[in-house]
Amino acid sequence: MKANIEEIQRRIQNAAESCDRRPETIRLVAVSKTIAADRVRAAVEAGVHILGENYIQEARDKIEALSDLDVEWHFIGHLQRNKAKYAVDLFDLIHSVDSIRLAREIDKQAAKRGKQQNILIQVNTGKEATKSGIDEEDALALVRDTARLEHVAVKGLMTLPPYFYAPEKVRPYFRALRQLRDRIHEAQIPGIAMEALSMGMTGDFETAIAEGATLVRIGTAIYGERA
Ligand SMILES: *Cc1c(COP(=O)(O)O)cnc(C)c1O
């Protein structure tokens, strides 16, 4: 696993350098859904600092088992409103906010805990019926509405584009997310920074970096194929 992580870090560095970006502006999120806590611990010992989880219950157990580690936990799965309170308890960044109702619930739960919850807006760049995320056309309005919530801070955008074996086919979706981020940035919404772009996985993270990714979410290339 250490070799895998070093290899990914090297590939991130090379991808950054080939498009004149500073490698330290790209952060690796190690996606550990279905991976047992002891293997996640090994990944942290091998140099990972951010852990991504998709399911609340699974994450709760793992976060408890690994509470001695100095890491960031990111929620990257679909979040139901009735689980928002757990997400606020557990996660430094929630990548998957796609409605004002969910954002309001997160705000309410964060207020109760005296927390400012960092979030990303998930955009369904491929307009796939099976995927979560707000449509591109509605994202600016959602960011504006969310900006009014006192206990939620929008940090950027996330996408899970359609799956293609060839990374070049995914590039337009990554580009669309970056262009949308730039448009929202230009709107200069008070309190909104919009620097983060969460995009790119095992099969396509170098393309995502070329299109501006600041958070790449990688599971398989670290831990191997999931069961
Ligand atoms: C599982 C998952 C990943 C990681 O995918 P790999 O192909 O294993 O790198 C990234 N993002 C999300 C939202 C995921 O659910």
Side-chain angles (χ1 to χ4, degrees), residues 100 103-104 107 116 144-153:
I100 189 63
R104 283 202 191 107
D107 181 63
Q116 171 97 338
R144 276 191 206 286
D145 291 344
T146 306
R148 296 195 188 96
L149 304 173
E150 223 178 302
H151 295 273
V152 170

Side-chain angles (χ1 to χ4, degrees), residues 29 31 33 54-55 76-77 122 158-160 200-203 217-222 224 226:
V29 180
V31 175
K33 57 173 176 257
N54 289 65
Y55 308 105
I76 63 170
Q122 182 173 353
M158 178 272 224
T159 196
L160 189 60
M201 320 201 315
T202 289
R217 310 180 307 262
I218 299 179
T220 307
I222 295 176
R226 286 178 290 274

Side-chain angles (χ1 to χ4, degrees), residues 7-8 10-12 14-16 18-19 21 167 171 174 199-213 216 218:
E7 167 75 8
I8 292 162
R10 196 163 46 240
R11 285 172 61 188
I12 290 174
N14 288 343
S18 31
C19 57
R21 295 185 59 199
R171 185 185 289 272
F174 294 148
M199 57 190 197
M201 320 201 315
T202 289
D204 54 24
F205 68 89
E206 282 133 326
T207 308
I209 289 169
E211 293 298 332
V216 290
I218 299 179

Side-chain angles (χ1 to χ4, degrees), residues 5 28 31 53-54 63 66 80 85 105 108 118 162 180 187 198:
I5 292 167
L28 168 62
V31 175
E53 288 284 338
N54 289 65
I63 292 172
L66 300 173
Q80 289 168 293
K85 54 179 177 289
E105 181 62 23
K108 184 173 128 192
N118 291 330
L180 177 61
S198 168

Side-chain angles (χ1 to χ4, degrees), residues 56 59-60 63-64 73 85-92 115:
I56 293 287
R60 260 168 123 178
I63 292 172
E64 195 181 309
W73 290 94
K85 54 179 177 289
Y86 305 115
V88 171
D89 277 337
L90 297 169
F91 291 97
D92 300 295
K115 182 179 182 184

